[in-house]
């Protein structure tokens, strides 16, 4: 999940940014900040950088495969007989009856 060193560093930065009067309370404030940060970050659905990079690579490979399949499909479609029209069923065709004007 989240590196505890990063949380500690963030807690120190928040602690250092506080007014001097509050900072004099010492370690208790820093511990509380660390606890709150860990609790809040724990509720988030976060992944570490390594997992993110792995998923990025998986997505890249998937896109490459999709592109290859699209090209293959286009090639197969172009090889099929172009003389034969493709009939697509139209749901409105049943409702429409030719009139004498047509």
């Amino acid at each position: 999940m989240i590196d505890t060193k990063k949380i500690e560093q963030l807690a120190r930065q928040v602690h250092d940014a506080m007014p001097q009067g509050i900072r004099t309370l010492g370690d208790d404030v820093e511990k509380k900040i660390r606890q709150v940060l860990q609790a809040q970050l724990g509720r988030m659905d976060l992944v570490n950088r390594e997992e993110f990079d792995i998923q990025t690579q998986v997505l890249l490979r998937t896109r490459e495969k999709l592109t290859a399949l699209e090209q293959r499909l286009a090639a197969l479609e172009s090889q099929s007989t172009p003389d034969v029209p493709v009939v697509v069923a139209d749901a409105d065709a049943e409702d429409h009856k030719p009139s004498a004007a047509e």
Side-chain angles (χ1 to χ4, degrees):
M1 171 98 181
I2 301 280
D3 186 13
T4 55
K5 291 180 183 178
K6 296 274 187 191
I7 293 175
E8 289 177 20
Q9 180 184 9
L10 188 57
R12 268 191 235 106
Q13 288 175 345
V14 171
H15 182 265
D16 293 343
M18 291 182 165
Q20 185 64 30
I22 295 176
R23 249 192 285 166
T24 56
L25 295 175
D27 293 334
D28 290 340
V29 173
E30 192 171 338
K31 286 178 186 176
K32 280 290 187 193
I33 292 170
R34 189 177 304 117
Q35 288 173 351
V36 169
L37 284 172
Q38 285 177 328
Q40 293 300 320
L41 291 173
R43 291 182 188 161
M44 298 175 140
D45 190 17
L46 301 174
V47 296
N48 62 29
R49 186 65 191 188
E50 182 182 356
E51 291 175 40
F52 178 81
D53 290 340
I54 290 170
Q55 290 304 314
T56 301
Q57 292 300 316
V58 168
L59 178 60
L60 190 60
R61 284 192 303 269
T62 302
R63 284 183 180 164
E64 290 170 353
K65 287 179 182 180
L66 176 61
T67 302
L69 286 172
E70 287 173 339
Q71 291 172 350
R72 186 173 171 195
L73 178 62
L76 290 172
E77 286 175 342
S78 69
Q79 290 175 1
S80 68
T81 55
D83 305 4
V84 180
V86 176
V87 179
V88 177
D90 187 6
D92 296 331
E94 293 176 9
D95 298 335
H96 182 70
K97 300 198 191 277
S99 63
E102 289 183 56

